Amino acid sequence: MGYDGPYPVDARVTEFLALDPALFIDGLRVAPGSASTLPVFDPSSGAQIAVAVDASAADVDRAVRSAHAAFADGRWRQLRPADRERVLLRFADLVTERGEAFAQLETLEQGKSINISRMFEVGASSEWMRYVAGLTTKIGGRTFDTSLPGGPQHWTTYTRREPVGVVAGIAPWNFPMMIALWKVMPALAAGCSVVLKPSEVTPLTALMLAQTAIDAGLPPGVFNVVTGSGAGCGAALTEHPLIAKITFTGSTPTGKAIGRTAAGNMTRFTLELGGKNPAIILRDADLDAVIPGLLAGAFLNGGQVCAAASRVYVEAPLYDALVSQLEAAIGAMSVGAGLDPNAQVNPLVSKAQQMKVQAYLEDARAQGGDLLVGAKVPDAGYFVSPTLVLNPAENLKLTREEVFGPVLGVTRVDSAEQGLALANDSNMGLGASLWTRDLKSAMDLTPRIEAGTVWVNSHVFIDPNMPFGGYKQSGIGRDFGVDWLDAYTELKSVCISH
């Protein structure tokens, strides 16, 4: 087992891939109670590179109880905020120091470009980690003047925020390391304990993160990792009675199921779900900015981005030029494994995802769709050519559903109003973009776009200080920003008579 491809890898990655399958519980890699395992593949070749544990309900229970014991005895939450902050900053430092190993491991299990792994999974994640670490010392409540009975009796009333308890973090496979840290870091900053479940397709970097956190000084039991299937391991985690909060990023159907389970147990939850994100191109837009912006917004990580642009509505005067330039760009892209830093088209994460995306394209062809296919991809591995679908019918599956692949629908519209109406005609509302050089158009239209984030003259860029989440069926709650930790705390009112 291990990587045997043509590109050199860090010795730490080779050593990690050679380890026996394990869970991370109570500060240690531990053998599972279950003998069930899941293979981990290199998407660029389809070769198996590792084996992960498929945790049983008993394994999950062990991890949750470890986290609960760590929370109950206060080994983490009762530290001074400045001391917790110091450990989390050291955690960020170690992620940076070990960044090349993290980046290569991420690329090997997920398929994305090593450039993206270095830039986002390590570089951006380290910035997010330091941002959240700084919030550790900013948790606070408020005091209130109240109208309670007066006389000789006086009242002092205030609120305080207390950590919610054990947090179940469920991370997806598109940015396994970065999104895992979006779950783990705010929970730890708030004083909670965590059980993280990565996707069964991409379980490896989560285990390396947990060991790195221990090396940074995090007490045992505060950060645990269980790997396994969603139906088994994931269900056991979300249904566990000692879980106080669930934070999930993934598909809308799975998020709905988790929400129903959480509601039944009165477990707090936040959900960041799917997107069918439009880009509206007005006739005055600057094509020199639009083309590279759409290429990044639509095809970053093979389109496997929840906020990726997937529907473009362009006013008629720019339509032909935009299509022509996009077609030339996707046709000229270089193709290769994620570890090839020169490759612009990389494989999708799994055979199942490759087949899903291909099914959307086959359905579009069968319905008479006009497809422009980009760079030719190899038969080996899980590649799909970047593809434009011109003027797709509104009832087409790939128009209505999240494809999560390198597919971009481009539709000619007669006016900004028509583009806006089509953009809003979706049950999802995660992100959207508007492209124009007219300030009045930007200011008038952005409030009318039904999405949690609206970019103007860009798409897909996010920042730790900018809240992120969805309208409609794209989720419940918000991540990031100065109020990020609120979702990981309970608000307690205190009323003192004196």
Side-chain angles (χ1 to χ4, degrees), residues 77-78 84 139-144 157-163 190 486 489-496:
R77 66 184 171 92
Q78 290 180 0
R84 294 204 308 271
I139 300 170
R142 299 170 60 191
T143 60
F144 303 94
T157 55
Y158 62 94
T159 55
R160 51 178 286 118
R161 288 200 171 271
E162 300 175 353
D486 288 359
T489 61
E490 292 281 19
L491 186 65
K492 177 181 287 183
S493 293
V494 179
C495 180
I496 302 174

Side-chain angles (χ1 to χ4, degrees), residues 142-168:
R142 299 170 60 191
T143 60
F144 303 94
D145 288 334
T146 53
S147 299
L148 296 167
Q153 193 174 23
H154 298 280
W155 302 87
T156 297
T157 55
Y158 62 94
T159 55
R160 51 178 286 118
R161 288 200 171 271
E162 300 175 353
V164 68
V166 179
V167 173

Side-chain angles (χ1 to χ4, degrees), residues 22-25 63 194-198 203 206-207 210 223-227:
L23 305 173
F24 200 93
I25 300 174
V194 185
V195 180
L196 173 68
K197 184 210 166 301
L207 293 163
F223 179 10
N224 307 273
V225 177
V226 292
T227 62

Side-chain angles (χ1 to χ4, degrees), residues 157-187:
T157 55
Y158 62 94
T159 55
R160 51 178 286 118
R161 288 200 171 271
E162 300 175 353
V164 68
V166 179
V167 173
I170 303 176
W173 47 252
N174 59 334
F175 288 90
M177 177 176 165
M178 183 165 68
I179 298 180
L181 287 166
W182 293 350
K183 312 299 184 189
V184 171
M185 287 297 293

